[in-house]
Amino acid sequence: MTAASYWSELVASLIPEGEPDPDLFQLTLAGFHILCLSATSLVIRGLEIKVLAQLGYTPLLEQCVSCGQKLTENPMITFSVKHGGVMCTVCSNKAALQNLCNFSHEALNIWQQLIKMDLSKIHRLRITARALSILDEVIEEFLIAQLDYPLKSRPILKKMLSAAEE
Ligand SMILES: [Zn+2]
Protein backbone atom coordinates (compact mmCIF):
# COMPACT_ATOMS: atom_id res chain seq x y z
CA MET A 1 0.00 0.00 0.00
CA THR A 2 2.77 2.42 0.95
CA ALA A 3 4.72 1.59 -2.20
CA ALA A 4 1.60 2.01 -4.35
CA SER A 5 0.78 5.37 -2.80
CA TYR A 6 4.35 6.51 -3.41
CA TRP A 7 4.13 5.34 -7.03
CA SER A 8 0.87 7.32 -7.47
CA GLU A 9 2.38 10.43 -5.92
CA LEU A 10 5.51 10.14 -8.06
CA VAL A 11 3.67 9.73 -11.35
CA ALA A 12 1.10 12.42 -10.53
CA SER A 13 3.84 14.89 -9.58
CA LEU A 14 5.90 14.34 -12.72
CA ILE A 15 3.26 14.29 -15.44
CA PRO A 16 2.27 17.46 -17.21
CA GLU A 17 -1.43 18.15 -16.61
CA GLY A 18 -4.04 17.54 -19.29
CA GLU A 19 -1.81 15.70 -21.76
CA PRO A 20 -2.94 12.14 -22.55
CA ASP A 21 0.01 9.74 -22.62
CA PRO A 22 -0.91 6.09 -23.33
CA ASP A 23 2.67 4.85 -22.77
CA LEU A 24 2.83 6.48 -19.40
CA PHE A 25 -0.57 5.03 -18.54
CA GLN A 26 0.77 1.56 -19.40
CA LEU A 27 3.86 2.12 -17.26
CA THR A 28 1.71 3.34 -14.36
CA LEU A 29 -0.47 0.21 -14.50
CA ALA A 30 2.55 -2.08 -14.91
CA GLY A 31 4.10 -0.36 -11.89
CA PHE A 32 1.07 -1.13 -9.69
CA HIS A 33 1.14 -4.70 -10.92
CA ILE A 34 4.81 -5.30 -10.13
CA LEU A 35 4.47 -3.61 -6.73
CA CYS A 36 1.75 -6.13 -5.85
CA LEU A 37 4.21 -8.93 -6.59
CA SER A 38 7.32 -7.45 -4.99
CA ALA A 39 7.76 -3.99 -3.56
CA THR A 40 11.52 -4.07 -2.96
CA SER A 41 13.90 -1.10 -3.00
CA LEU A 42 15.31 -2.30 -6.32
CA VAL A 43 11.86 -2.48 -7.95
CA ILE A 44 11.05 1.03 -6.68
CA ARG A 45 14.35 2.41 -8.04
CA GLY A 46 13.51 0.69 -11.32
CA LEU A 47 10.11 2.37 -11.47
CA GLU A 48 11.58 5.76 -10.62
CA ILE A 49 14.24 5.42 -13.31
CA LYS A 50 11.70 4.24 -15.88
CA VAL A 51 9.20 7.02 -15.29
CA LEU A 52 11.97 9.63 -15.30
CA ALA A 53 13.31 8.24 -18.59
CA GLN A 54 9.86 8.08 -20.17
CA LEU A 55 9.22 11.73 -19.34
CA GLY A 56 12.61 12.83 -20.62
CA TYR A 57 14.30 13.41 -17.26
CA THR A 58 17.25 11.11 -17.87
CA PRO A 59 20.49 12.60 -16.59
CA LEU A 60 23.66 12.46 -18.69
CA LEU A 61 25.10 9.03 -17.89
CA GLU A 62 27.34 8.20 -20.85
CA GLN A 63 30.02 10.81 -20.28
CA CYS A 64 31.11 13.50 -17.84
CA VAL A 65 28.43 16.18 -17.68
CA SER A 66 31.08 18.87 -17.32
CA CYS A 67 33.97 17.98 -19.71
CA GLY A 68 32.45 15.24 -21.88
CA GLN A 69 35.16 12.72 -21.07
CA LYS A 70 34.30 8.99 -21.09
CA LEU A 71 33.81 7.70 -17.55
CA THR A 72 35.19 4.18 -17.82
CA GLU A 73 38.78 5.00 -16.79
CA ASN A 74 37.74 7.15 -13.84
CA PRO A 75 38.32 5.56 -10.44
CA MET A 76 35.95 7.95 -8.67
CA ILE A 77 32.80 9.43 -10.14
CA THR A 78 30.13 11.64 -8.60
CA PHE A 79 26.65 12.76 -9.57
CA SER A 80 25.88 16.42 -9.96
CA VAL A 81 22.19 17.15 -9.57
CA LYS A 82 22.85 20.77 -10.50
CA HIS A 83 24.43 19.79 -13.82
CA GLY A 84 22.12 16.83 -14.38
CA GLY A 85 24.58 14.00 -14.74
CA VAL A 86 27.69 12.09 -13.81
CA MET A 87 31.04 13.80 -13.26
CA CYS A 88 34.51 12.37 -13.92
CA THR A 89 37.23 12.29 -11.26
CA VAL A 90 38.94 15.51 -12.39
CA CYS A 91 35.73 17.55 -12.60
CA SER A 92 34.48 16.07 -9.29
CA ASN A 93 37.67 17.26 -7.57
CA LYS A 94 37.37 20.70 -9.16
CA ALA A 95 33.73 20.98 -8.15
CA ALA A 96 34.26 19.48 -4.71
CA LEU A 97 32.63 22.39 -2.93
CA GLN A 98 29.43 22.05 -4.89
CA ASN A 99 26.82 19.58 -3.70
CA LEU A 100 27.95 16.43 -5.43
CA CYS A 101 26.40 13.08 -4.58
CA ASN A 102 28.45 9.91 -4.13
CA PHE A 103 28.15 7.73 -7.18
CA SER A 104 29.74 4.51 -8.43
CA HIS A 105 30.25 2.61 -11.66
CA GLU A 106 27.93 -0.09 -10.39
CA ALA A 107 25.15 2.42 -9.69
CA LEU A 108 25.72 3.98 -13.12
CA ASN A 109 25.58 0.60 -14.82
CA ILE A 110 22.37 -0.38 -13.01
CA TRP A 111 20.74 2.96 -13.89
CA GLN A 112 21.53 2.38 -17.58
CA GLN A 113 20.24 -1.19 -17.45
CA LEU A 114 17.03 -0.22 -15.66
CA ILE A 115 16.11 2.32 -18.35
CA LYS A 116 15.95 -0.48 -20.94
CA MET A 117 14.98 -3.44 -18.80
CA ASP A 118 11.56 -5.05 -18.87
CA LEU A 119 9.85 -4.44 -15.51
CA SER A 120 9.17 -8.13 -15.00
CA LYS A 121 12.91 -8.88 -15.09
CA ILE A 122 14.07 -6.27 -12.57
CA HIS A 123 14.16 -8.73 -9.66
CA ARG A 124 16.82 -10.75 -11.52
CA LEU A 125 19.34 -7.90 -11.33
CA ARG A 126 22.15 -8.36 -8.84
CA ILE A 127 23.07 -5.18 -7.00
CA THR A 128 25.11 -4.51 -3.86
CA ALA A 129 23.51 -2.79 -0.87
CA ARG A 130 25.95 0.09 -1.38
CA ALA A 131 24.94 0.73 -5.00
CA LEU A 132 21.29 0.49 -4.05
CA SER A 133 21.76 3.07 -1.34
CA ILE A 134 23.71 5.35 -3.72
CA LEU A 135 20.88 5.16 -6.27
CA ASP A 136 18.33 5.91 -3.56
CA GLU A 137 20.16 9.07 -2.46
CA VAL A 138 20.90 10.30 -5.98
CA ILE A 139 17.35 9.73 -7.25
CA GLU A 140 15.94 11.48 -4.20
CA GLU A 141 18.07 14.57 -4.88
CA PHE A 142 17.40 14.37 -8.62
CA LEU A 143 13.62 14.21 -8.06
CA ILE A 144 13.70 17.19 -5.70
CA ALA A 145 15.64 19.14 -8.34
CA GLN A 146 13.03 18.35 -11.03
CA LEU A 147 10.00 18.97 -8.84
CA ASP A 148 11.30 21.74 -6.55
CA TYR A 149 9.81 19.93 -3.56
CA PRO A 150 10.27 16.57 -1.83
CA LEU A 151 7.64 13.85 -2.28
CA LYS A 152 5.71 13.28 0.95
CA SER A 153 5.42 9.50 0.78
CA ARG A 154 9.06 8.82 -0.16
CA PRO A 155 10.57 8.99 3.38
CA ILE A 156 7.70 6.88 4.77
CA LEU A 157 8.30 4.19 2.16
CA LYS A 158 12.06 4.36 2.73
CA LYS A 159 11.61 3.78 6.45
CA MET A 160 9.28 0.82 5.87
CA LEU A 161 11.57 -0.78 3.31
CA SER A 162 14.70 -0.44 5.38
CA ALA A 163 12.91 -2.04 8.34
CA ALA A 164 11.62 -4.87 6.12
CA GLU A 165 14.89 -5.48 4.28
CA GLU A 166 17.20 -5.46 7.31
ZN1 LIG B 1 34.87 15.79 -16.42
Side-chain angles (χ1 to χ4, degrees):
M1 272 299 286
T2 312
S5 64
Y6 171 61
W7 178 231
S8 318
E9 189 190 1
L10 176 67
V11 174
S13 307
L14 286 170
I15 48 169
E17 255 176 69
E19 282 175 37
D21 186 336
D23 291 341
L24 188 66
F25 183 67
Q26 282 307 319
L27 175 63
T28 308
L29 286 185
F32 284 124
H33 183 69
I34 194 167
L35 288 174
C36 284
L37 301 172
S38 75
T40 61
S41 298
L42 178 59
V43 166
I44 307 220
R45 297 298 82 81
L47 288 174
E48 289 171 331
I49 286 171
K50 280 204 168 293
V51 74
L52 283 167
Q54 197 149 325
L55 291 167
Y57 295 114
T58 300
L60 188 63
L61 301 168
E62 282 70 33
Q63 62 200 67
C64 173
V65 74
S66 179
C67 72
Q69 193 199 131
K70 285 231 180 313
L71 297 159
T72 38
E73 306 288 310
N74 286 262
M76 186 272 284
I77 52 175
T78 60
F79 190 96
S80 168
V81 169
K82 188 180 157 201
H83 292 88
V86 185
M87 266 196 190
C88 73
T89 309
V90 174
C91 294
S92 298
N93 287 330
K94 274 194 219 158
L97 291 175
Q98 298 177 26
N99 288 330
L100 300 174
C101 301
N102 281 330
F103 209 52
S104 70
H105 285 285
E106 185 190 358
L108 171 64
N109 184 271
I110 298 272
W111 191 316
Q112 289 169 319
Q113 286 192 61
L114 284 171
I115 291 175
K116 292 176 253 167
M117 186 173 278
D118 194 89
L119 275 178
S120 61
K121 295 190 176 116
I122 287 182
H123 64 277
R124 293 189 203 163
L125 262 182
R126 291 287 160 261
I127 179 169
T128 61
R130 183 170 179 272
L132 198 53
S133 136
I134 286 175
L135 281 178
D136 184 13
E137 299 297 324
V138 167
I139 292 171
E140 178 157 315
E141 294 299 320
F142 189 69
L143 280 170
I144 292 173
Q146 309 309 320
L147 296 167
D148 283 329
Y149 56 88
L151 292 167
K152 283 191 209 116
S153 51
R154 204 177 192 279
I156 304 165
L157 176 60
K158 195 168 170 167
K159 216 178 265 178
M160 284 190 73
L161 284 174
S162 69
E165 288 171 6
E166 254 168 26

